[in-house]
Amino acid sequence: MFLKTCLCDLLNIEYPLIQGAMAWIAGGRLAAAVSSAGALGVIGAGNADVAWLKREIDVVRQITDNTFAVNLMLTSPEIESIVNLVIEEKVPVVTTGGGNPGRYMKSLKEAGIKVIPVVASVALAKRLSRLGADALIAEGMESGGHVGEMTTMCLVPMVVDAVDIPVIAAGGVADGRGLIASLALGARGVQVGTRFICAKECDVHPDYQQKILKARDRDTVVCGVTTGHPVRAIHNKFVRQYLKAEKTGASKEELEELGRGRYPAAALEGRIDEGTILAGQISGLVKDIQPAAEIVADIISDACRVLRELGDIEWRE
Ligand code: TUI
């Protein structure tokens, strides 16, 4: 099996596939399994402290010598010390989310780290490309967790046209069809989050995985639009309560209080009624718990099948 783009050369990986960074979910064990399989494993630093991240980096390095990444959540209260740690540790690749990483760009680049910011708009894509980003992840609102307003289908080709660096499509991708569709839009790789939550090596609570496996096409919803920070999650008792509070005019502060601690409640404690189960719209396509290596191999072999079947289309120029 062989499927390669310029992203593979840039990151020294076998397949143009990146595991989504998921705070409280994607630790070293998952990242190592994904990187060992030839894709790019990512540790989601989220709001974690330096000691946690150092441990997870060590976990990856004990398991594999392959390239891996750390995702910096730019809203984290620990962000300065986390940036210093990834520089000290010479982490090969950093992805960023939740804001503009411009102020960290120079020091990360000077440390020889490849920087791949997540963007949800063309404007930020242009700005970060000028600041020296090595690639960009264009994330559509089909994604789980914090989302922008653009769909993957519209955002990706617009970002591709706006910059000269490789673009990675995210949001709504879980198989080879999504990978090839993204390449057709001009992306040179994809980021897959939700399907990797259902990897055997993922340390998330098993009941969280079951919610994804059971989800159907319309079972995720976006809530928190009134706060300015919309989030996609699987519909459950808490989401119903939250949406009702939003509808009846709860203030930003009340909503923030209502939402406090709900991500780790679901991801770590498996409180699937009271927690927020962040997951993408593509959950309806995820049907099995599989080893990460099998997920990687499945996506790539499915992509090869799609390419072969495209050969049936008759066309000429
Ligand atoms: O970050 C995400 N998705 C997430 S994060 C998360 S859990 C969490 N939340 C808070 C703290 C710690 C953990 C669940 N899901 N996706 C990446 C992403 N980034 N999507 C959109 C953006 C984004 C938004 C605004 C990127 C840049 C941006 O910049 C605004 C500006 O111009 O400053």
Side-chain angles (χ1 to χ4, degrees), residues 23-24 46-47 73 75-76 96-100 118-120 124 127 139 144-148 263 278:
W24 287 287
N47 284 347
M73 191 64 205
T75 53
S76 166
T96 70
N100 182 343
V118 170
V119 297
L124 189 59
R127 218 176 307 148
E139 190 182 272
H146 291 273
V147 290
Y263 301 162
L278 302 177

Side-chain angles (χ1 to χ4, degrees), residues 1-18 35 37-40 66-68 92-93 114 116 134-135 165-168 179 183 187-190 296 300:
M1 216 165 50
F2 175 81
L3 195 152
K4 200 177 148 195
T5 71
C6 59
L7 188 71
C8 302
D9 297 324
L10 177 70
L11 303 179
N12 193 23
I13 54 177
E14 198 177 345
Y15 303 120
L17 173 60
I18 299 187
S35 284
L40 183 73
N66 288 358
T67 313
F68 70 99
V93 182
K114 298 269 192 304
I116 311 183
D134 294 279
I165 50 177
V167 174
I168 296 148
L179 170 51
L183 298 183
R188 285 297 166 259
V190 289
V296 171
I300 303 302

Side-chain angles (χ1 to χ4, degrees), residues 14 84 112 123 154 161 287 304 315:
E14 198 177 345
N84 291 338
C154 296
D161 285 351
K287 291 292 162 225
C304 295
W315 63 278

